[in-house]
Amino acid sequence: MKPAYQEEVLVDVLEATETIDQMDLVVFNDDVNTFDHVIATLIRVCEHTPEQAEQCTLLIHYKGKCAVKMGTFNFLKPLREAICEAGIDARIL
């Protein structure tokens, strides 16, 4: 048996979204800085573990660059400045 009537209900669904522009802090390879200097800088500036800093440094050396941190531009800017002050090429992309 069919129901005597059917009621159609339309419901508006509001989706709350927050747009955060995530960027990468990328460190580039050079022929000047030592592995130890880059590792120490990543530990100090980016708060990497020694293992994480070493892995990033190997990627920088063999691949030419590595994204060492993600975040908003305002979060990454002081980190980039500190890395550059240490004589290491870093850019926010």
Side-chain angles (χ1 to χ4, degrees):
M1 247 186 157
K2 288 186 177 181
Y5 67 92
Q6 283 186 338
E7 183 177 329
E8 187 174 319
V9 178
L10 298 176
V11 178
D12 288 331
V13 177
L14 299 176
E15 184 176 325
T17 59
E18 182 178 349
T19 303
I20 299 175
D21 293 329
Q22 291 288 318
M23 304 185 86
D24 290 324
L25 177 58
V26 179
V27 173
F28 292 87
N29 190 35
D30 62 34
D31 294 329
V32 179
N33 292 293
T34 65
F35 277 80
D36 289 340
H37 176 62
V38 176
I39 291 168
T41 302
L42 293 177
I43 292 170
R44 179 177 52 83
V45 174
C46 298
E47 299 180 346
H48 282 192
T49 64
E51 295 81 10
Q52 185 180 14
E54 184 178 346
Q55 288 174 351
C56 286
T57 302
L58 287 169
L59 287 170
I60 293 164
H61 179 72
Y62 288 110
K63 299 284 188 178
K65 63 183 177 180
C66 178
V68 296
K69 203 77 163 174
M70 275 183 71
T72 63
F73 180 84
N74 290 336
F75 172 74
L76 296 176
K77 186 177 178 191
L79 302 179
R80 183 194 62 81
E81 290 170 354
I83 291 171
C84 289
E85 285 173 7
I88 300 167
D89 184 16
R91 298 177 211 152
I92 299 171
L93 304 175

